[in-house]
Amino acid sequence: MKECVVWTANLDSKKSRSEGRRIPKRFAVPNVKLQELVEACKQLGLKFRAEEKKYPKSWWEEGGRVVVEKKGSKTHLMIELAKKIAEMREQKREQKKVQKKDKKKKKK
């Protein structure tokens, strides 16, 4: 089975194409963390392995990569991962809002 490497920088909307972003900005997500990328792979049911490596073009930044079993095009895979990360972040925001409301109710 073919594998492809997806770096956190490939999905980062704060990066330009020349800095390593590989998908259109409208799909990209700001400040992608390796842990988020791993969680997105799990939720999409992909076979993968995570590696804490530095992206060569920005070796001073934290990041990493996942080596994913490839199905279809790499660009499509990266867009799906970015969408999943955005969805997970939205769910976390919703949970925080609910927790804040619960805390306010408890204080009253």
Side-chain angles (χ1 to χ4, degrees), residues 46-58:
L46 301 170
K47 290 182 181 176
F48 70 97
R49 69 178 186 275
E51 299 176 344
E52 284 192 29
K53 304 258 184 187
K54 303 278 188 184
Y55 187 62
K57 282 187 179 178
S58 54

Side-chain angles (χ1 to χ4, degrees), residues 32-95:
V32 179
K33 303 275 186 276
L34 180 60
Q35 190 55 44
E36 290 176 314
L37 194 51
V38 166
E39 191 58 38
C41 287
K42 285 180 186 172
Q43 288 191 19
L44 291 171
L46 301 170
K47 290 182 181 176
F48 70 97
R49 69 178 186 275
E51 299 176 344
E52 284 192 29
K53 304 258 184 187
K54 303 278 188 184
Y55 187 62
K57 282 187 179 178
S58 54
W59 52 266
W60 58 91
E61 293 177 0
E62 289 301 314
R65 66 183 185 185
V66 289
V67 181
V68 185
E69 192 175 283
K70 191 175 171 186
K71 293 175 185 154
S73 76
K74 183 175 178 177
T75 304
H76 182 72
L77 171 69
M78 289 191 288
I79 289 171
E80 289 301 310
L81 286 167
K83 283 181 180 176
K84 182 54 83 174
I85 290 170
E87 185 183 303
M88 289 172 0
R89 287 182 178 181
E90 189 57 39
Q91 287 172 349
K92 278 185 185 175
R93 267 190 234 113
E94 293 299 321
Q95 285 175 347

